[in-house]
Structure formats: structure tokens, C-alpha cells
Amino acid sequence: MAAQFGRRLRKGAATTAVAAVAVAALSASQAPGVNDHGRQPAADATPSPEASASDGSATGNSPYYTDLPPLKSPNPSPSTGPAPGGTGTTESGIPATVLDAYKKAETTLREAKPGCNLPWQLLAAIGRVESGQARGGRVDADGTTIKKILGPQLDGNGFALIKDTDDGAYDGNSSYDQAVGPMQFIPSTWAWAGRDGNGDGKKDPNNIYDAALAAGHYLCRNNWDLSQQSELDRAILSYNNSRDYLNLVMRWLEYYRKGAHEVPDGTGTLPGDRSDDGAGASPTPTGPGATAPAGSTPGPGPKPEKPDTPQKPGGGGTTTPKPPTTPPGSPSTLPTTPPGSPSTPPTTPPTTPPTPTDTVAHLEDAGTAKLTAMAGDAFGRRISTRAETEAGKAVAKVRVRFTIVGDTDTTFTGGEDVATVATNSSGVAVAPALQAGEKTGTVTVRATVVGRAVPGLDYKATVTERAADALARTGDAELTCAPGGTFANRVEVKATYKGTVADGVAATATLIKSADDPTATDKGPYFKDADDKPVRTLTGLTTDAKGLLKLPELYADDTTGTFLLRVTTAGGATLTVELTVAAAETSSPSPSAGPSA
């Protein structure tokens, strides 16, 4: 097959090579310029040279449609429409429900991951290449494909070798995985990337709303910014590990950017050419009455009548011709083994060599240090796991899945709670960086081998509460008040941690008895609660995004003197502020003037 995964089928390689030449020709035929979106046209949108394909992919590197976008303008013509059966010249026409799913996914990702800059046209390009826009928009009103779209079983026979990971739940195959649905996810990827895009409470790879949103999240992981060509390249390569695939998707992306329009469901243009040149049947709708895609290998049919079959005398029917006789002197049978010759030993059927995954006996920690981070911060260390054989030898090119388990809002960078990483030449897989959430406590990250039933390896990460190690007042005005009055100035402090702003840090403010006695006093200045009753301890305070904490107004009773307000935060930062309650000074009367002389 054309998608790179170790080796390719001979036919697939040839087909893709032709497609690559066609892409080059198409590039040369298009004039340079800038399209309506301010981006360079397809001819100049070449993949970034530093982009590299990953060992895993969303599709398992399954086959895909290789049809190129046409040279003519993608803008629809009033006189041109789809032909019966879903074929025609309106390649820019996208079935209504499918187009709606792409645009809704873009809107959702714009809010969930604004830094990704995912365009819906990228989803349309991938959907076109993977399944011909859900086989021309053959979906029901909820967006679910009328018949399942399945890729070939990934049994290593010309395709990747991915043994069953879902017990056939998604693809109906309990021996090997198959890519599923309009965006062609393999089950092991869907297990963590799946999303509910239509709000029905299910994550169905056969539903275009679910699949489009999942594809968007998949492309936006790792904090990729798809407005940057190099990161766009990496995202596309991670979907299907093939340079030809990357080039083709980029062609369709630029084509749809120039214009696309809606067509009725079920009338979209069906692709014809495939990267596997007909080997296999992927992606093929399954079920009674399903139509095989163009270019697939035809099944057995009626045998044509032989033109040289003689008729029976008088017509009506045919006679069976006699086989030719053996010429005189010719051997009538195949030569037999001469006497005394050793008999030919029976041939042993070839066996499939074990894959690297088959040789993994256990996982070992590869030097992961203590994992600790403050709530809201990124962990400074990353989890490293090594795959080993029974003899302790490292195993490369094995997919290790890291899963965050339990009730926590800690995620991997990019917001995902599952990540799959291939081991390097040293047998080590390094998980993406962890991003601590707001829930404190212990977080468990479990490492398992994809496609291999060996015990998992658990890592513990600790999320501590946000902390500050220093507090300071933001002003220096004296805090004074007359008995029974209100302090004119409110107390405001700024919290920092290692010299940087400490936001979201819990704090407590208490009017204490003395510097040596931090218990709350029962007289002097006070705060007011919601019922206007005096309180001298405030809890549940939190610094804002700038690390600032502004306390409520302070009041004074009739007690005069000097009092202390102490502010403390998580992490041990403490600040003591002096308050003064004193009666206002009154001027003494001037002495009376004596009688005049």
C-alpha cells in the first residue's frame, strides 16, 4: 500500500508514485499568487522539510483515495450539478451533513483550543482522501453512515500489522484492527481520541460529527499551531505516515480554501483511485447491498460463453468439445520420480515472523524522576518507559500507551488524557509533558503496550496546591482609624513564588492578638460578614491572575491602640500589617485675655 509502514505493496507503490508525479505536474501548471485567505496557493504550499513522520498514526496508515483535485475553479457553476449516482464534476461539493460536521468541529476547537487554528477545510481534505466525504455523504439525519466504512484488516499482508485491540467492538474483527468510519480511525486510536460531536452521549467512529470532532482534537494535540506550515505538516503526517499522503491532503486543503459548496447528502462525487491500487477493499461500505469502490478487485461472476463452442446439430444447446489427444510418442503423464530418488519433503507453510510487539515481555521504568508540580503548572519531568524482552533486551518500534486514570483534571500537554508513543532505538518511550490541573493529590499514569497483554506500569505524580513564598503590600499609606470608624485605606498584598506572580493561591487574613500569639483577637479592628456581624478571621481568599489580594474594608470598635493583621498563604508566605486606632487630637483653647488696663 502507499501509506508508508515498513514496506509497501508493489502495486501500491507504483500507484502512489504516479500520483506523486501528477501532483508535481499539477503544481507546475498552477500560477503563483495568493488566494482569498491570504495563504499561498497549492503550488507554493510545499510541506516543511523538517517535518517528520511518526511511528504511529490515526489510521494505522491504511489505504486512501489518491484522486487529485481538478485544475478548474472550485467555485460551483449554476449549470453544473452532480450526476445520478453521486458522480460528476462538482468535486468541490461537500454533502450537507458532512460539511456541517466539519464546520461545527472547527467552531468547537476554536473555543477549546484557540491556539491550534484548525480550519474546517483541513477536515474536509482529510475526509475526502480517507472516505470520499463518507462515500459521497451516505449518512442518516444524525450523521451516522448508512453502512459502516471499514479499511482492510491490518494483518501485515501488505499493510501494517496491528493485532486486535477492541475485541471487534468497532470493526467486527477480533483478530486484527481495521480503520473505521468516515475519518478512518483505527480502534486503538479511537479509544482515546473519540469524541461525542452530536451530543447524543455516544462516541461513534461511524458518525461524521463524532469523527470530525475527534479528528480535530487529534490534529490539535501536542499544542500544534496549524497556521504554521511545519506544524501543519507534522499533524497531517501523524494522521497517516506518508509523504505522498501529506502532499495529497495539502492539495485538497488549498482547493477547498478557494471555494466549496454544499450538495445534498448522498450526491457527493465518489473518488476512483486508491493508494493500494485495488488491493484489499478499503475503505469499503459493509453490509447487504454495499457498493464496492471504483478500482477494487471484482468478485467472481458468470463466466462468458466461449465463442468457439460448437452448436449441436439442429441448434439448441451446445456440445462439450473433446479434449485434444496426446500426440504420438508424447508422455501421457508427468514424469515420475526415478526409482531410488529421495522423495520431496512436504513443504512447511510459511509462518509470520514475530513483530517487535510480540517480543515484549514487560515494561520497565527508564529513569523517571519524582513527578511533582503545583496546581496549574506543567510538570518539569516526563515519564519514560522502556519495553524489554524476557531477557531484558530493549525493543524498538513498539507503541506504548500512556493513560491518566482516576478522578483528576491533570492532562497531557494539549488537553488529552491518553497519549500513544513509539519506543525509540533504545526501547524507550517518553510520554508528553503532564499539565497539572486544579485538583490536588496523587495522579496515576499507566503505561501499557498496544496490542500486547503484558502487565501495565503505573507512575505516580503529585499535584500540590498553588503556593506563594513571599507577600508584600502594594502601598505604604498608614492604616489608621478613629474609634468606631472605618479605615480609609484597604489592605492590598501581592503574592509571588520564586520571583514570579503567584496566582490562584489560597490565603487567610486574621487579626491576631500579638506577634507571638497568632490566635484571633476579640477586640479592636474587624471585618464584617454577610450579615454585617464582626469577624476577625477571613478564609477562602484567593489571589487573582496578577497575584493580588485586596481585603475587604476594616472597621474599628471603641478600643484604641495598635493592632496586627496577619496574612498567610499556602506555601508559607506571611505578612504582618500594623493597624492603629486612636482618637482624633483636639486643639486646646487659647488663654483668655485679661482686663484691659
Side-chain angles (χ1 to χ4, degrees), residues 515-591:
D516 298 325
D517 187 355
T519 58
T521 184
D522 56 0
K523 58 184 178 180
Y526 60 91
F527 299 104
K528 287 183 179 180
D529 63 13
D531 298 323
D532 282 342
K533 294 181 179 179
V535 293
R536 291 184 169 86
T537 299
L538 295 179
T539 59
L541 304 173
T542 306
T543 61
D544 65 14
K546 296 180 179 180
L548 299 177
L549 174 62
K550 194 168 188 176
L551 299 180
E553 283 187 317
L554 275 165
Y555 304 88
D557 60 14
D558 293 333
T559 308
T560 60
T562 300
F563 302 90
L564 299 178
L565 170 65
R566 180 162 291 173
V567 182
T568 60
T569 66
T574 301
L575 176 67
T576 302
V577 180
E578 190 174 276
L579 308 172
T580 302
V581 179
E585 293 183 2
T586 57
S587 58
S588 58
S590 59

Side-chain angles (χ1 to χ4, degrees), residues 328-379:
S330 300
S332 59
T333 61
L334 294 175
T336 59
T337 303
S341 300
S343 59
T344 302
T347 58
T348 303
T351 58
T352 302
T355 65
T357 300
D358 294 331
T359 67
V360 177
H362 55 266
L363 294 175
E364 292 287 341
D365 178 39
T368 303
K370 184 178 181 181
L371 299 168
T372 302
M374 194 182 300
D377 289 350
F379 282 76

Side-chain angles (χ1 to χ4, degrees), residues 161-203:
L161 175 57
I162 303 179
K163 294 185 177 180
D164 175 62
T165 61
D166 66 331
D167 198 24
Y170 294 117
D171 53 15
N173 190 336
S174 59
S175 298
Y176 301 95
D177 272 353
Q178 295 175 249
V180 182
M183 302 304 278
Q184 288 289 279
F185 279 96
I186 54 174
S188 59
T189 302
W190 184 261
W192 63 267
R195 293 292 191 280
D196 177 12
N198 62 352
D200 64 355
K202 298 184 295 183
K203 300 176 182 179

Side-chain angles (χ1 to χ4, degrees), residues 64-89:
Y64 53 89
Y65 289 111
T66 59
D67 297 51
L68 294 169
L71 289 172
K72 69 179 185 300
S73 169
N75 294 318
S77 170
S79 62
T80 304
T87 59
T89 59

Side-chain angles (χ1 to χ4, degrees), residues 140-488:
D140 63 19
D142 296 324
T144 302
T145 57
I146 302 300
K147 296 179 175 65
K148 287 186 177 181
I149 302 175
L150 295 176
Q153 68 174 17
L154 301 175
D155 57 4
N157 184 23
F159 306 113
L161 175 57
I162 303 179
K163 294 185 177 180
D164 175 62
T165 61
D166 66 331
D167 198 24
Y170 294 117
D171 53 15
N173 190 336
S174 59
S175 298
Y176 301 95
D177 272 353
Q178 295 175 249
V180 182
M183 302 304 278
Q184 288 289 279
F185 279 96
I186 54 174
S188 59
T189 302
W190 184 261
W192 63 267
R195 293 292 191 280
D196 177 12
N198 62 352
D200 64 355
K202 298 184 295 183
K203 300 176 182 179
D204 183 2
N206 300 294
N207 182 277
I208 186 59
Y209 288 99
D210 294 359
L213 184 58
H217 274 279
Y218 185 90
L219 295 165
C220 286
R221 73 196 193 286
N222 298 329
N223 282 337
W224 280 326
D225 178 359
L226 303 187
S227 66
Q228 302 296 319
Q229 186 66 51
S230 61
E231 298 190 13
L232 174 61
D233 293 349
R234 292 188 180 94
I236 297 173
L237 284 171
S238 77
Y239 209 88
N240 191 311
N241 185 357
S242 165
R243 279 283 175 173
D244 295 330
Y245 181 88
L246 168 61
N247 293 334
L248 183 60
V249 169
M250 283 302 305
R251 289 292 163 203
W252 281 106
L253 169 59
E254 295 303 326
Y255 181 76
Y256 285 133
R257 274 197 166 115
K258 294 175 182 176
H261 65 286
E262 176 184 300
V263 298
D265 289 345
T267 65
T269 303
L270 299 179
D273 298 328
R274 297 195 48 76
S275 63
D276 55 352
D277 197 23
S282 166
T284 305
T286 61
T291 304
S296 60
T297 304
K303 296 180 180 179
E305 182 178 329
K306 296 179 181 179
D308 58 347
T309 303
Q311 299 288 323
K312 284 184 178 181
T318 61
T319 60
T320 303
K322 295 181 180 180
T325 59
T326 304
S330 300
S332 59
T333 61
L334 294 175
T336 59
T337 303
S341 300
S343 59
T344 302
T347 58
T348 303
T351 58
T352 302
T355 65
T357 300
D358 294 331
T359 67
V360 177
H362 55 266
L363 294 175
E364 292 287 341
D365 178 39
T368 303
K370 184 178 181 181
L371 299 168
T372 302
M374 194 182 300
D377 289 350
F379 282 76
R381 306 279 185 173
R382 296 166 69 178
I383 295 173
S384 298
T385 300
R386 183 171 56 254
E388 296 182 353
T389 64
E390 189 67 43
K393 183 179 178 181
V395 185
K397 297 183 179 180
V398 171
R399 292 187 298 158
V400 176
R401 179 179 296 139
F402 297 95
T403 306
I404 300 173
V405 299
D407 182 18
T408 178
D409 54 357
T410 291
T411 64
F412 291 112
T413 302
E416 308 295 346
D417 57 9
V418 179
T420 302
V421 182
T423 57
N424 59 20
S425 59
S426 300
V428 175
V430 180
L434 285 167
Q435 177 67 39
E438 296 302 322
K439 293 182 179 180
T440 60
T442 301
V443 176
T444 300
V445 180
R446 181 164 299 149
T448 56
V449 179
V450 177
R452 179 74 168 164
V454 297
L457 186 61
D458 285 355
Y459 294 85
K460 301 296 182 183
T462 302
V463 179
T464 62
E465 62 181 335
R466 293 173 181 257
D469 56 13
L471 283 172
R473 279 190 64 193
T474 58
D476 56 4
E478 292 186 359
L479 300 168
T480 60
C481 179
T486 303
F487 283 81

